[in-house]
Amino acid sequence: MSSAALRPLWPVLFVILWSTGFIGARFGLPYADPLTFLLVRYGCTALLLTVLALLMRAPWPDSRRMVAHLAVTGLLVHAVYLAGVFSAISRGLSPGLTALVVGLQPILTAVLVAAWFRAPVGRRQWAGLLLSLAGVTMTVWPRLSVGHDMLPLLLPVVAALFGITLGTLYQKRFVPHFDWRTGGVVQFTACALATGAVAPWLESMHIVWNGSFAFALGWLVLVLSIGAISLLNWLIRHGESVGVASLFYLTPPTTALMAFALFGERLTPLAIAGMAVVAAGVVLARR
């Protein structure tokens, strides 16, 4: 089968791979603090990509400006996003709910693109945004009603939402074309340096090395940081920003089903309805 025939499958593959990232975090976080886990992940990914780049003689960035843009993109798309997601899950937020909040990215992208280019946001987009927020409220309401303090759990994942949204827009604007191997080295090295400077002040840096942690680390490095991120870079390069972002609204139901199958997380009728409302809001805003 030709690459052109396979092209429509790449977005589907990206959604599936991206959704497993929330599950991988759930597997590995019992054995390491979030920033410590991410520091090891960034280091392993940068090292593996460096070996690939040298073996395959991949072209390196040809200017300091491009290196700087790649570093900023990496810090937003990886460091801010993953730190928020891992922190939220480590504090008790379910992978499904975490994916749901980050799944608001299509709406936020549409609004920021409109503001960036001074274009008006239509009534349909605002209606979609409000509908999506209503869906999130429906999903978290059962936990709010039994006395859970959701604000400390939601703040990190909201930061993750803004990080990946701004990061994809920044990449589309300043570095839409770069080699995924050498560009990844720059991005993940920047993430490792930033995380390494912060983690010792906030965490014990202790890791329990066992089979579960090793599997989670290997999966997140190979399948997510290399496989899914390479697909994301390809999609950003070949599609418009809002169109690429619209893929993220498929992540919450995919992640919720995975969490249900692997961890037995309960899907209440209200939560399922909330996911449907979020998806409807995104579709409404994208039309």
Side-chain angles (χ1 to χ4, degrees), residues 8-215:
L9 299 178
W10 297 144
V12 177
L13 179 60
F14 168 74
V15 170
I16 295 173
L17 294 182
W18 193 262
S19 299
T20 65
F22 301 93
I23 305 302
R26 175 71 177 271
F27 271 113
L29 283 172
Y31 310 105
D33 289 326
L35 295 182
T36 302
F37 191 175
L38 289 173
L39 178 59
V40 177
R41 174 180 174 180
Y42 297 147
C44 292
T45 305
L47 179 61
L48 182 57
L49 286 174
T50 299
V51 173
L52 288 176
L54 293 176
L55 291 176
M56 302 173 72
R57 298 182 180 181
W60 292 86
D62 56 3
S63 67
R64 292 182 180 179
R65 180 185 295 272
M66 186 174 185
V67 170
H69 286 319
L70 286 170
V72 172
T73 301
L75 291 173
L76 290 171
V77 173
H78 305 305
V80 175
Y81 169 74
L82 290 174
V85 168
F86 275 52
S87 296
I89 294 177
S90 70
R91 295 179 183 183
L93 199 66
S94 70
L97 182 53
T98 303
L100 179 63
V101 176
V102 179
L104 291 174
Q105 186 195 359
I107 300 293
L108 183 58
T109 299
V111 173
L112 291 180
V113 165
W116 197 329
F117 295 104
R118 300 183 182 276
V121 179
R123 295 179 181 179
R124 185 169 291 167
Q125 285 181 311
W126 285 118
L129 174 61
L130 294 176
L131 190 60
S132 296
L133 291 176
V136 173
T137 302
M138 291 170 61
T139 305
V140 304
W141 187 257
R143 297 186 67 176
L144 290 174
S145 62
V146 295
H148 286 278
D149 186 4
M150 293 292 294
L151 187 59
L153 302 181
L154 290 176
L155 283 179
V157 78
V158 170
L161 167 64
F162 276 88
I164 194 168
T165 303
L166 294 173
T168 52
L169 291 175
Y170 188 96
Q171 178 174 323
K172 184 68 176 177
R173 172 65 177 83
F174 294 106
V175 278
H177 302 285
F178 64 90
D179 186 272
W180 65 273
R181 296 152 296 188
T182 54
V185 172
V186 175
Q187 290 180 330
F188 285 105
T189 300
C191 293
L193 292 174
T195 305
V198 175
W201 296 92
L202 301 177
E203 300 176 355
S204 66
M205 306 291 290
H206 177 67
I207 299 175
V208 178
W209 290 94
N210 56 28
S212 296
F213 180 80
F215 172 79

